[in-house]
């Protein structure tokens, strides 16, 4: 376990482990009075944990070692360990480096069952969190708090909501145990700091206002946002190649940081209103432009022109102070949320969309900057928001919107230089070449067009506006690029049939058939993927229907940054006025189930989408790509779901249709189970997406577990299974429908095996929460019961049959759909 | 000193009987216009002079009245005055600076009025002396630059700009203003940019700065390297360009608003009912009332920015929430120092400041709740609306110039790839309310619910609107040519990028066919003045674009059928046109070649007519229908494509790029001349209220 972590860990796992052991020992000593009772408790817990944690290796029980024997041993060495243990219970410092030679001896000598579990390979973050939550022993809590350092960051990150909720709402001991880890990670990274601050804010909001102000969570949040938690060590993948060893000279590393930021952060305009000096990192286009500028100024600078000033940006000097670490990103989030709030005040979708576009274009002036999308996998800087692509999503009174974001990937957004701004108009001139390419796609009839095009491009050169020298030189440079681009595409031209080229040279007339033109027109129109009609009341339909690849290509073509190798397009939904904490909970459960199903090799398909909680009423959502809602499908295509599948994927027997059908069934099974387990409600067609591969994806987990919309008692069925769905699966007697039921059964069996992992996520979040999904006292019990631990597999099969049967015949689903249609216009 | 007193005493005595008392400053002016060095007897003469309130009229008239010989005599004193003016600009005492600026204004003006015929060199000599001119002007420009860029009083900055405007417009023809050579060498460009980049200074001085820039760019544009052109073409600082765009946007918005107000005034009253009763004879009167003074200066600035700076194109699409500017601002915002001198009517200035102030507030305060009725607008939309108003009536010279300039700007926009990209951007949809001329044969579509569409639709609408409304005896051939060329350029872009615009092309087709019809029926009168064949060729080639390349940019298959339907339906027009051009091209005459080009261009249209006409007739005969419905004709068209062969014509998707020189040079020269006159007229130093300045500076100094 230690080996594979070593590479990118700041904390030496050995050190952490040693610290853990010491704490544990001390704990034993302190609680010597009642060891028996406690041991029983823990043993029970452990047995249970063990049973579900890893059934494959569960056959080798670890607790066979006699507990009495080792506890005696521990007592012997306890005294000297206590002192060291104290040191480590002090929350502030991260564990000190210790000679690794101590480790084997210590490990060999202390054979406690709990310790063995904690040291075993089976002990993962999930178990750590579980023990942290359940154990009432400060020692165990402290041990786990320290042990957190040894887990990979990414694994702990998954449980960040749980950790923070415990930190906010549970007793002091738990908080003290977690705090060092949180502080350490906050020092390590801006992302973690911000995520932690946002979540702390969100989870503290359920407390009473008077206690909230002085609560631990609020204090920690303030500490983070005050930006006092600067890294004491260089961040993990900073330029220092040594790992595991403490930084040799902090002053030097600070210098390094400052150097970077003076160059780059001054360019990040979120820190100041001044324009970017940004002379340091010039892209090629920029450089040529600069040359022309200096040429122009020297050309005109006669002896008398003494008025030298940085004409375009007179305020350069003011920007050089080091900006706060977190500020650019916080400003970005603030402005995005601000836009959302302002949009909500506008009455029509059209106005909202226009307003959104204009606001985003203002935002664009301040990019690129040291900002990034926290939902993304890889490190990057946001360089541009293609504002015209943003759309307002359908919502009755809020104004969620989706934006597309151009980013440039980088090694580390904290240390890599911020990319230099490229003016909007500097689109690659290669665009015209690309158009030529697609224009000349082997169609012989295009030849005339093509060669004319070439001729045209040359003839424009002498005609070009030659008003004055500077303008002309500037432009001819540009033109040359264009001409080059076009000659490079002349390879294509040469591939065309020889006779048409010669015919053009000999000036003989070329004839074309009107029928061909007409045919090409209808063919071209047929070949373009089916698009939705533009509807001012539903602007998102068109935007979301466009295949992601097409969108990326299109935006890349229109972007001044598009030519850069590390250019990527991301997207994000900004939500204002919605509490996303439940969504986050649902996401975690979905992720957990997904990994369980993957582990158990059950082909159920679900798509958990990332959630960023920024406060109790705002946040961001990672959009599901290439997906439109069933409502939009229905409204735009006016087809039944099956007919839509046939239209999109081909007739019943085609490969494409069958693949899409399989995707549909697998995703239906996945989400049926999710809906059943989590009691997901409000399942109207606007909340179910259909992606281009045929998967359905449920979105909007606003009503789960104990909450249901308006408590009307609709939707009593286990999950949504309409006859349309069954039709796509090939009818009630079809193989695919049987497959569907089988998948649900397999999924349920797999989920049951790992119930604890799922339960734990929900249970911890219930702590101190006022969320509607935890309303009442039976939430966890109900959830537990739905896993049906007591049933045999045969009984389970029967249960699944009943569930499916019940859902299908449920009138309430249908009723609910028509209810939605009447109240919200959702088909 | 004693002499002065004596003199004063003498004057006082005489004046007591005839004239009122002479001001001290006037006496001092008189001293300057005397032979001797005024400082000889009073070493503090110049210091005192700039403490006096300037008497512009007197100084100017005095300069005017000096005749040839006297000039020689007093040149040293005038040189000295000029020199001291410049020195006074550096004074801490702001009153002195103000007076010096105004004195300079008077000097420039007076000298020029006097020497209308004199060469620029004489004027320079008279003002500064040849040997010192370079140094003097360098000093002057540096002082002005530091005043404009410094943190001093806004009124001072405003005065500096007025002085510059005054200097730039003293001659009718800007290129003959030799003093500007020094303004070229000692560039004030950076100062202008700085004013535009800053929100508050833009609000107060933006208009003057933009007009000044537009004029400076036009100094000897075609003869020499103008550093302002060079510099303007490479500006890429977005806040600055945006600021420039904002100033233009505000000015045009204000114009549109004034027009709309007048229009509503007219419509609501008794007058409109009266005109509708009596008929067309009073429409002219109504139009008169509707005309609002056009603003070519700001349009010229827009043109130069679009034409010279390709980064400016982005500004066109930059959206700003369109503010409903209050018609009468109830409280002129007290924080804004009103500009003492107005090139623009003061009301506009105040509104502008008011508007910009609101903008600032909105920008600085994102939490401010916004009026839900606001429509997002951008410079291009405002410009299109403006153009639609200006183009309605092209009878008078100013409006004709404005309309022409609008079309030239649109030509530049249509040629720019980036501009085309956002014009055709499917995600940028706007409702653009173009103004339509009330005409007898059509009802004015009041508040017709315009769908939200890509901006290019509005451009096309505007072109169609122009085409159908200007077929008159006094045919604006030049405008028509530009109009059709703009459409052509847009089509070329659509073809190249395969953009299928959902536009009702039928309206365009029928407008174009009607245009051909008009050309035919007025052949003789038009031919006397214009080469109508060139226009006819362009129009026919637009049809050829649709016929041969329709598959690349038409939105639906049906639209291609409709094109054929429209051609066949109006075949008479094409037949007549063919007859006419054939006739002219077979005769020998000056139009022979031009006409024969049209005959060649018509080959495909004629092929279509000749192919489908018999088919339709036989269909009617077979089915015994006298009048075929549209659907039936379309059916015939659809089923008979395959037997029709078309000829591929060369160069349909090529166009001559816009070039200012040499074609447009004369137009711009005249335009700049008229703008200069207008600006000069409006830079009225008389409106200067010393009171305001005194009040302001008494607290400062």
């Amino acid at each position: 376990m230690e080996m594979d972590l070593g590479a990118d860990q700041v904390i030496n796992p050995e050190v952490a482990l040693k610290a853990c052991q010491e704490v544990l020992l001390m704990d034993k000593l302190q609680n010597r009075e009642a060891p028996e009772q406690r041991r029983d408790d823990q043993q029970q817990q452990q047995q249970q944990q063990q049973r579900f944690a890893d059934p494959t290796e569960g056959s080798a029980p670890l607790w066979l070692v006699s507990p009495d024997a080792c506890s005696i041993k521990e007592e012997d060495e306890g005294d000297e360990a206590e002192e060291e243990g104290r040191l480590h219970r002090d929350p502030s410092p991260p564990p000190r480096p210790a000679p690794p030679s101590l480790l084997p001896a210590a490990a060999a000598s202390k054979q406690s069952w709990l310790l063995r579990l904690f040291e075993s390979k089976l002990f993962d973050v999930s178990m750590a969190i579980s023990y942290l939550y359940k154990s009432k022993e400060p020692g165990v809590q402290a041990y786990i708090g320290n042990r957190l350092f040894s887990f990979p960051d990414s694994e702990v990150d998954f449980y960040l909501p749980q950790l923070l909720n415990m930190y906010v709402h549970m007793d002091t001991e738990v908080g003290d145990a977690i705090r060092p880890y949180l502080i350490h990670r906050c020092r390590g990274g801006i992302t973690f700091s911000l995520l932690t601050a946002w979540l702390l804010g969100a989870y503290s909001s359920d407390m009473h206002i008077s206690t909230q102000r002085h609560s631990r969570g609020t204090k920690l949040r303030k500490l983070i946002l005050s930006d006092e938690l600067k890294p004491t060590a260089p961040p993990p993948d900073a330029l220092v190649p040594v790992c595991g060893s403490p930084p040799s000279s902090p002053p030097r590393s600070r210098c390094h940081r400052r150097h970077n930021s003076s160059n780059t952060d001054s360019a990040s305009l979120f820190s100041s209103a001044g324009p970017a000096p940004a002379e340091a990192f010039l892209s090629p286009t920029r450089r040529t432009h600069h040359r022309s500028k200096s040429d122009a100024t020297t050309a005109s600078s006669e002896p008398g022109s003494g008025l030298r000033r940085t004409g375009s940006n007179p305020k350069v000097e003011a920007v050089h102070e080091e900006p706060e670490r977190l500020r650019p990103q916080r400003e970005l989030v603030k402005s995005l949320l601000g836009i959302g709030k302002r949009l909500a005040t506008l009455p029509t979708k059209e106005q909202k969309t226009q307003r959104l576009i204009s606001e985003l274009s203002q935002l664009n002036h301040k990019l690129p900057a040291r900002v990034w999308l926290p939902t993304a996998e890889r490190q990057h800087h946001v360089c541009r928001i293609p504002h015209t692509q943003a759309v307002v999503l359908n919502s009755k009174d809020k104004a969620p919107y989706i934006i597309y974001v151009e980013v440039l990937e980088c090694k580390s957004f904290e240390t890599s230089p911020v990319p230099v701004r490229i003016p909007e108009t500097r689109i690659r001139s290669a665009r015209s070449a690309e158009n030529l390419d697609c224009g000349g796609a082997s169609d012989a009839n295009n030849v005339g067009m093509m060669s004319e095009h070439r001729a045209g491009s040359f003839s424009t050169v002498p005609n070009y506006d030659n008003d004055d020298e500077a303008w002309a030189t500037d432009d001819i440079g540009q033109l040359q690029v264009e001409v080059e681009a076009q000659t490079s595409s002349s390879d294509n031209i040469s591939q065309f049939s020889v006779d048409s080229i010669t015919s053009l040279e000999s000036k003989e007339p070329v004839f074309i058939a009107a029928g061909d033109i007409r045919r090409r027109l209808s063919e071209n129109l047929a070949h373009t993927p089916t698009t939705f009609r533009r509807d001012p009341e539903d602007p998102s339909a068109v935007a979301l229907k466009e295949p992601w690849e097409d969108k990326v290509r299109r935006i890349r073509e229109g972007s001044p940054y598009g030519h850069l190798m590390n250019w990527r397009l991301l997207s994000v939904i900004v939500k204002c006025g919605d509490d996303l904490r439940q969504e986050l909970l649902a996401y975690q459960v979905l992720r957990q189930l997904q990994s369980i199903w993957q582990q158990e090799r059950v082909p159920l398909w679900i798509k958990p989408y990332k959630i960023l909680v920024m406060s109790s009423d705002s946040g961001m959502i990672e959009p599901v790509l290439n997906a439109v809602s069933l409502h939009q499908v229905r409204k735009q295509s006016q087809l039944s779901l099956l007919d839509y599948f046939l239209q999109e994927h081909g007739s019943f027997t085609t490969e494409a249709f069958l693949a899409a059908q399989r995707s549909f069934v697998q995703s239906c099974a996945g989400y049926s189970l999710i809906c059943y387990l989590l009691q997901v409600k409000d399942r109207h067609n606007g909340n179910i997406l259909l992606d281009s591969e045929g998967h359905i994806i449920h979105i909007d987990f606003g009503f789960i577990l104990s909450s249901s919309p308006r408590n009307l008692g609709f939707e009593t069925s286990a999950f949504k299974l309409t006859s349309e769905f069954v039709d796509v699966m090939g009818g009630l007697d079809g193989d695919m429908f049987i497959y569907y039921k089988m998948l649900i059964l397999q999924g349920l069996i797999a989920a049951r095996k790992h119930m604890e992992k799922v339960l734990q996520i929900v249970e911890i979040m219930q702590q101190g929460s006022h969320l509607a999904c935890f309303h009442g006292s039976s939430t966890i019990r109900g959830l537990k019961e739905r896993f049906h631990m007591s049933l045999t597999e045969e009984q389970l099969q029967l249960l699944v049959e009943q569930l499916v049967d019940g859902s299908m015949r449920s009138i309430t689903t249908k009723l609910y759909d028509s209810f939605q249609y009447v109240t919200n216009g959702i088909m | 000193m004693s002499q002065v007193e004596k003199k004063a005493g003498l004057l006082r005595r005489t004046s007591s009987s005839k004239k009122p008392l002479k001001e001290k400053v006037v006496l001092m002016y008189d001293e300057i216009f005397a032979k001797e060095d005024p400082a000889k007897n009073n070493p503090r003469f110049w210091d005192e002079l700039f403490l006096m309130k300037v008497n512009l009229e007197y100084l100017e008239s005095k300069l005017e009245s000096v005749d040839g010989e006297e000039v020689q005599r007093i040149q040293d004193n005038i040189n000295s005055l000029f020199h001291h003016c410049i020195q006074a600009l550096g004074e801490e005492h702001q009153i002195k600076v103000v007076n010096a600026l105004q004195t300079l204004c008077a000097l420039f003006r007076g000298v020029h009025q006097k020497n209308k015929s004199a060469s620029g060199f004489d004027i320079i000599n008279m003002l500064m002396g040849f040997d010192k001119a370079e140094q003097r002007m360098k000093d002057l420009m540096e002082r002005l630059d530091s005043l404009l860029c410094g943190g001093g009083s806004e009124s001072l900055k405003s005065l500096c700009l007025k002085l510059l405007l005054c200097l730039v417009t003293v001659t009718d023809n800007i290129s003959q203003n030799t003093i500007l050579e020094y303004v070229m060498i000692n560039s004030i460009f950076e100062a202008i940019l700085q004013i535009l980049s800053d929100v508050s200074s833009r609000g107060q001085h933006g208009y003057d700065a933009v007009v000044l820039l537009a004029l400076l760019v036009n100094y000897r544009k075609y003869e020499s390297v103008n550093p302002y052109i060079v510099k303007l073409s490479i500006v890429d600082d977005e806040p600055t360009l945006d600021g420039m765009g904002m100033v233009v946007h505000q000015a045009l918005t204000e114009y549109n608003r004034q027009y709309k107000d007048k229009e509503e005034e007219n419509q609501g009253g008794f007058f409109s009912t009266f005109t509708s009763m009596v008929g067309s004879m009073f429409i002219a009167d109504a139009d008169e009332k509707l005309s609002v003074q056009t603003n070519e200066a700001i349009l010229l600035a827009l043109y130069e920015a679009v034409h010279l700076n390709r980064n400016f194109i982005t500004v066109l699409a930059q959206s700003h929430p369109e503010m409903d500017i209050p018609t009468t601002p109830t409280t002129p915002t007290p924080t804004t120092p009103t500009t003492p001198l107005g090139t623009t009517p003061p009301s506009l200035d105040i509104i502008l400041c008011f508007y910009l102030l609101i903008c600032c507030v909105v920008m600085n305060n994102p939490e401010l709740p916004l009026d839900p009725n606001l429509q997002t607008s951008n410079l291009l939309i405002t410009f299109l609306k403006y153009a639609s108003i200006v183009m309605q009536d092209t009878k008078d010279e100013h409006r004709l110039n404005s309309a022409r300039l609008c079309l030239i700007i649109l030509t530049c926009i249509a040629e720019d790839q980036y501009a085309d990209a956002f014009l055709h951007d499917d995600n940028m949809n706007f409702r653009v309310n173009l103004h339509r001329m009330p005409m007898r044969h059509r009802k004015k579509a009041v508040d017709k619910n315009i769908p939200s569409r890509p901006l290019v639709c509005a451009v096309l609408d505007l072109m169609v609107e122009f085409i159908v409304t200007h077929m008159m005896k006094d045919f604006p051939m030049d405008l028509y040519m530009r109009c059709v060329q703009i459409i052509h350029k847009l089509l070329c872009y659509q073809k190249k990028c395969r953009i299928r615009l959902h536009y009702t092309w039928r309206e365009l087709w029928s407008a174009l066919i009607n245009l051909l019809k008009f050309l035919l029926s007025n052949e003789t009168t038009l031919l006397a003045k214009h080469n109508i064949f060139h226009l006819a060729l362009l129009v026919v080639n637009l049809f050829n674009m649709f016929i041969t390349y329709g598959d690349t940019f038409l939105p639906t298959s049906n639209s291609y059928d409709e094109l054929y339907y429209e051609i066949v339906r109006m075949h008479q027009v094409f037949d007549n046109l063919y007859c006419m051009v054939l006739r002219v091209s077979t005769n020998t005459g000056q139009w022979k070649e031009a006409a024969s080009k049209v005959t060649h261009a018509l080959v495909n249209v004629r092929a279509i007519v000749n192919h489908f006409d018999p088919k339709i007739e036989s269909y009617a005969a077979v089915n015994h229908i006298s009048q075929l419905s549209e659907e039936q004709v379309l059916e015939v068209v659809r089923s008979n494509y395959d037997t029709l062969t078309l000829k591929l014509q060369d160069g349909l998707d090529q166009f001559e790029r816009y070039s200012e020189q040499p074609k447009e040079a004369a137009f711009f020269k005249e335009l700049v001349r008229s703008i200069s006159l207008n600006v000069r007229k409006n830079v009225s130093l008389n409106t200067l209220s010393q009171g305001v300045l005194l009040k302001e500076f008494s607290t400062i100094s």
Side-chain angles (χ1 to χ4, degrees), chain A residues 275 286 289-290 292-293 296-297 300 302-309 311-315 338 341-342 345-347 350-351 353-355 357-359 361-362 364-365 384 387-391 421-429 431-432 435 438-439 446 448-449 452-453 455-456 459-460 463-471 474-475 478 504 507 509-522 524-525 534 536 543 554 558, chain B residues 138 141-142 145 149 185-188 190-191 193-194 197-198 221 225 227 229-231 233-234 236-240 242 303 307-311 313-314 318-321 362 366-368 370-376 417-418 421 425-431 452 493 495-498 500 547-552 554-561 564 638 641-642 644-661:
Chain A
R286 176 83 178 191
H289 179 71
H290 263 253
S292 75
K293 182 178 235 171
T297 40
S300 67
E302 318 274 286
S305 61
L307 313 173
R308 202 70 333 126
R309 186 181 25 252
S312 50
N313 42 21
K315 293 170 290 251
K341 278 191 196 119
R342 267 165 278 156
T345 61
L346 299 176
E350 194 182 308
Q351 275 178 316
T353 306
Q354 284 180 356
R355 176 89 199 172
I357 288 174
S358 84
E359 294 246 12
S361 75
Q362 300 290 329
N364 241 341
H365 283 313
R384 179 173 177 261
H387 51 275
T388 61
Q389 305 304 318
V391 278
R421 177 170 179 79
I422 306 175
E424 280 286 303
T425 39
R426 216 134 300 158
I427 321 174
R428 296 167 306 147
S429 35
R431 171 200 275 230
S432 53
N435 281 310
C438 72
N446 281 333
M449 245 169 62
E452 267 166 35
H453 208 103
S459 69
T460 51
N463 278 342
Y464 210 79
D465 197 350
N466 280 318
D467 274 1
D468 65 80
E469 281 171 17
W471 179 224
D474 203 4
D475 251 299
Q478 192 87 359
L504 211 115
K507 280 286 165 201
V510 182
F511 291 103
I512 40 173
D516 285 343
I517 299 175
R518 174 66 162 72
R519 212 165 298 125
R520 269 207 307 273
L521 175 60
S522 18
N524 281 340
L525 287 168
R534 195 162 283 283
R554 197 167 51 79
Chain B
K138 181 167 181 270
M141 296 314 288
E142 278 175 8
D145 183 80
C149 297
I185 298 168
N186 304 292
S187 170
I188 196 96
E190 287 75 14
L193 283 202
Q194 189 176 326
S197 66
D198 181 77
K221 209 182 199 180
V225 180
I229 294 181
V230 180
K231 286 178 179 177
S233 67
I234 56 173
D236 62 355
D237 179 57
E238 269 162 29
T240 312
D242 223 26
Y303 164 75
H307 178 232
L308 292 175
N309 189 307
R310 72 155 57 94
N311 298 317
I313 291 286
T314 48
Q318 193 74 63
S319 329
H320 304 286
V362 171
E367 308 300 326
L368 196 80
L370 285 151
D371 185 353
N373 294 320
L374 293 182
Q375 254 261 317
T376 308
Q417 216 193 40
Y418 182 85
D425 194 327
D426 221 14
N427 288 48
M428 278 175 60
N429 290 309
F430 292 97
R431 295 175 201 278
S452 197
Y493 177 81
K495 175 198 163 263
K496 194 176 109 191
C497 294
R498 313 211 145 208
R500 301 182 184 280
I547 294 168
T548 31
Y549 299 127
D551 56 329
T552 56
L554 281 175
T556 60
S557 338
N558 267 351
S559 47
Y560 196 67
D561 306 336
Y564 279 56
R638 267 185 217 116
Y641 275 124
D642 281 325
L644 173 65
T645 308
L646 299 170
K647 188 171 168 253
L648 191 67
Q649 284 147 318
D650 285 341
L652 285 180
D653 56 350
Q654 289 166 44
F655 53 82
E656 199 182 331
R657 286 191 72 96
Y658 169 78
S659 135
E660 189 176 313
Q661 214 187 3

Side-chain angles (χ1 to χ4, degrees), chain B residues 237-364:
Chain B
D237 179 57
E238 269 162 29
T240 312
L241 291 173
D242 223 26
M244 205 185 295
M246 279 283 254
V247 173
V248 177
H249 189 182
Q250 295 320 316
L252 296 184
T253 307
E254 175 54 25
Y255 178 89
N256 293 349
R257 195 194 55 76
Q258 280 181 2
Y259 178 84
K260 214 176 157 203
D261 286 352
K262 278 208 172 179
E263 193 185 42
E264 274 164 13
E265 221 170 85
N266 265 314
Q267 273 176 349
F270 158 73
F271 202 75
S272 62
T273 43
F274 182 68
T275 42
S276 61
M277 262 159 53
V278 177
S280 61
M281 54 203 282
F282 286 101
I283 282 179
D285 271 330
D287 281 349
E288 207 90 325
K289 282 207 149 191
L290 280 179
S291 68
V292 179
Q293 181 73 50
T294 51
N295 192 340
E296 284 108 31
I298 211 74
L299 213 51
L300 179 69
L302 176 61
Y303 164 75
E304 297 295 359
V306 168
H307 178 232
L308 292 175
N309 189 307
R310 72 155 57 94
N311 298 317
F312 188 79
I313 291 286
T314 48
V315 172
L316 289 176
Q318 193 74 63
S319 329
H320 304 286
E322 195 175 43
M323 292 288 174
D324 237 353
I325 304 164
T327 335
T328 45
T330 43
T331 45
T333 41
T335 45
T336 334
T338 42
T339 41
L341 303 167
T343 36
T344 46
S347 68
L348 197 146
D349 255 2
I350 293 168
I351 291 166
L352 209 105
C353 295
F354 187 63
Y355 172 87
L356 288 168
L357 228 116
I358 296 171
C359 285
C360 306
V361 170
V362 171
M363 274 184 228
N364 297 336

Side-chain angles (χ1 to χ4, degrees), chain A residues 397-452:
Chain A
D397 35 28
K398 314 267 173 49
Y401 58 91
I402 183 167
I403 55 169
Y404 297 90
V405 180
E406 295 175 29
V407 303
L408 296 175
E409 282 184 354
C410 59
K411 256 184 87 185
S412 155
F413 63 81
E414 286 186 49
T415 52
S416 304
V418 172
V420 168
R421 177 170 179 79
I422 306 175
E424 280 286 303
T425 39
R426 216 134 300 158
I427 321 174
R428 296 167 306 147
S429 35
R431 171 200 275 230
S432 53
E434 273 180 20
N435 281 310
L436 278 177
D437 287 350
C438 72
S442 78
D443 195 343
N445 288 312
N446 281 333
V447 172
M449 245 169 62
M450 294 288 300
S451 31
E452 267 166 35

